[in-house]
Amino acid sequence: MFRFPGQSLLEDWASARRFQALPDAARSIVFYAEDGDSWPHFEPIVRELTGEMGREVCYLTSSRSDPVLRTSNPRIRPFCIGEGLVRTSLFLSLRAGVCVMTMPDLQTFHLKRSQAQNVHYVYVFHSMVSTHMIYRKAAFDAFDTILCVGPHHEREIRATEQTYGLAPKKLIPCGYGRLDTMLASRRAGSSAAPNRSAPAHVLVAPSWGPHGLLETRGVELCRVLLSSGLRVTVRPHPMTRRKWPECIREIERGFGGEDRLTLETGVAAFDSLESADVMISDWSGAALEFAFAYERPVLFVDVPRKVNNPEYERISCEPLEVSIREQVGRVISPDRLADLPMHLEALMRDGEGMRARIQRVRAETVYNVSESGRVGARAIAEIAGGQETEDRRQETEGEQDGR
């Protein structure tokens, strides 16, 4: 459909005005999604809130293709606010009880805390990795409450607060919603287990960045795997597709006619995860999702660490993505890619041993497995109730001061 220049911006302003015009009670719980990929992390919480708990929520999104915009749930009010001036302005003037986000770095860049109301900001993790190496230094400082995936997040955030003299946040032992959804999909038998009579299926799902596996060794990696007779699915990170598209085009040019290689551009579906025998990754949080959901191993290629916080070593906690790799798989040097088939075969041969080890590590690493949506929803509803009481108290004090 043709759009006149500026039409989308006008639609965003209209959507923001409709949201702000709602009564205060309707804006008690607000979710903000940077893109459509946020929904798998919010969905278990929203389902609980709008289900048996009977709560209504507002859902602000910056993506016109966000599936929530087409929801049939009458207790979800969706609004597309774009990702430019409208979003920036709306955040500054936001009137809400609770604002729930998966986007870190609140207050650091263009998205600021509200200047119009004392909004309570809640962070939901979109990865299980640690808080202090892959994320920026102040990524979580402006949030009031953090829904922690596991004990590592509590330790790291408390250590960060102590190191930098920050006020303590409210930390909720919650869990990880996307993992719960993957486990539910697996239990429902939505796809078959790996076919042992077919060539082994290897899923390549690394992180992104100038030192990432696909950005630096993508073509070589695919050549080694395909020459060993393996079936390969390459699942680039969305940021790789956005910032380093050339490395994906090189794989397409080099192996476009190879029927044993699939290039998967979406990250929401679980099909390739469910059917893979083993994953190859680097520093991606997807590796932990795969290992914990399907209890299958990961082969980590030891490219340089993904470091977005140069001060991360001031925090006296080893990042989970460093400490856990040998527990859920193996690590090899990027200079030894020729040895990949040997290591992959060894990992798959030790299937039962790896499965038992991964189950144990998952229990130690992730809170409330299969129950995080319920825990997160109750915490948010409780905060929203308390925030409404606080807002009414401040309004009453203001009225009294004006007499």
Side-chain angles (χ1 to χ4, degrees), residues 48-328:
E48 291 286 338
L49 284 168
T50 61
E52 292 185 5
M53 297 181 72
R55 300 295 295 257
E56 294 186 351
V57 304
C58 290
Y59 198 94
L60 307 177
T61 178
S62 289
S63 172
R64 300 186 188 284
S65 60
D66 195 312
V68 182
L69 293 173
R70 300 182 297 277
T71 184
S72 59
N73 188 334
R75 289 177 174 159
I76 302 176
R77 290 188 174 97
F79 302 87
C80 183
I81 59 171
E83 55 184 11
L85 178 62
V86 176
R87 177 178 67 170
T88 302
S89 176
L90 180 58
F91 262 74
L92 283 172
S93 61
L94 184 65
R95 294 185 179 277
V98 178
C99 181
V100 188
M101 303 169 60
T102 64
M103 186 177 184
D105 298 302
L106 177 67
Q107 202 68 14
T108 301
F109 298 108
H110 46 288
L111 295 190
K112 309 293 186 182
R113 290 179 63 101
S114 175
Q115 297 179 359
Q117 187 167 318
N118 184 26
V119 178
H120 189 109
Y121 291 86
V122 176
Y123 185 78
V124 173
F125 281 96
H126 63 267
S127 175
M128 288 184 272
V129 300
S130 287
T131 58
H132 57 301
M133 184 174 80
I134 286 181
Y135 291 97
R136 295 180 181 89
K137 175 184 172 183
F140 310 103
D141 290 358
F143 289 92
D144 302 292
T145 293
I146 309 287
L147 302 187
C148 298
V149 171
H152 59 292
H153 284 160
E154 291 197 80
R155 290 193 299 267
E156 295 155 7
I157 293 170
R158 292 296 183 228
T160 300
E161 290 169 349
Q162 183 175 8
T163 298
Y164 294 103
L166 303 174
K169 301 168 189 61
K170 184 175 185 179
L171 304 183
I172 306 294
C174 183
Y176 190 59
R178 181 172 166 83
L179 172 61
D180 294 348
T181 301
M182 295 168 78
L183 287 168
S185 175
R186 175 187 165 193
R187 285 192 294 269
S190 61
S191 67
N195 183 357
R196 300 303 178 189
S197 64
H201 181 196
V202 178
L203 174 62
V204 179
S207 187
W208 64 279
H211 304 296
L213 180 57
L214 284 186
E215 287 83 351
T216 59
R217 303 286 183 124
V219 171
E220 179 186 359
L221 175 69
C222 292
R223 183 178 298 115
V224 169
L225 295 174
L226 291 170
S227 65
S228 300
L230 297 166
R231 185 160 58 97
V232 181
T233 296
V234 178
R235 187 180 170 106
H237 192 283
M239 292 301 292
T240 296
R241 300 198 306 269
R242 187 183 305 175
K243 293 195 171 187
W244 285 272
E246 181 57 30
C247 74
I248 299 175
R249 286 195 288 266
E250 287 180 358
I251 293 173
E252 291 176 324
R253 286 194 294 265
F255 308 101
E258 174 56 69
D259 59 5
R260 284 183 292 112
L261 186 140
T262 301
L263 191 62
E264 190 171 79
T265 56
V267 297
F270 298 150
D271 291 354
S272 62
L273 294 163
E274 292 175 328
S275 65
D277 296 279
V278 63
M279 176 184 282
I280 295 176
S281 191
D282 46 18
W283 298 102
S284 175
L288 302 184
E289 295 175 1
F290 174 80
F292 288 162
Y294 304 108
E295 297 166 4
R296 298 175 196 146
V298 180
L299 185 59
F300 296 92
V301 181
D302 198 25
V303 298
R305 295 185 182 188
K306 185 177 179 181
V307 178
N308 285 315
N309 175 17
E311 297 184 18
Y312 81 93
E313 291 179 317
R314 293 189 62 186
I315 308 304
S316 57
C317 304
E318 185 177 31
L320 178 71
E321 55 272 23
V322 176
S323 63
I324 205 170
R325 297 198 297 174
E326 295 281 4
Q327 300 180 63
V328 299

Side-chain angles (χ1 to χ4, degrees), residues 336-356:
R336 302 298 298 270
L337 292 186
D339 296 336
L340 275 171
M342 174 184 67
H343 290 289
L344 292 171
E345 182 181 355
L347 285 172
M348 290 184 286
R349 189 167 55 241
D350 186 28
E352 290 303 319
M354 286 300 308
R355 183 173 297 109

Side-chain angles (χ1 to χ4, degrees), residues 331-390:
V331 182
I332 71 164
S333 167
D335 297 327
R336 302 298 298 270
L337 292 186
D339 296 336
L340 275 171
M342 174 184 67
H343 290 289
L344 292 171
E345 182 181 355
L347 285 172
M348 290 184 286
R349 189 167 55 241
D350 186 28
E352 290 303 319
M354 286 300 308
R355 183 173 297 109
R357 188 186 314 168
I358 289 170
Q359 289 173 348
R360 174 181 55 80
V361 175
R362 181 180 63 199
E364 296 170 351
T365 305
V366 184
Y367 289 131
N368 302 307
V369 174
S370 298
E371 295 290 335
S372 70
R374 176 182 56 81
V375 174
R378 288 183 177 179
I380 290 169
E382 181 179 343
I383 294 166
Q387 194 68 12
E388 290 170 0
T389 301
E390 174 64 15

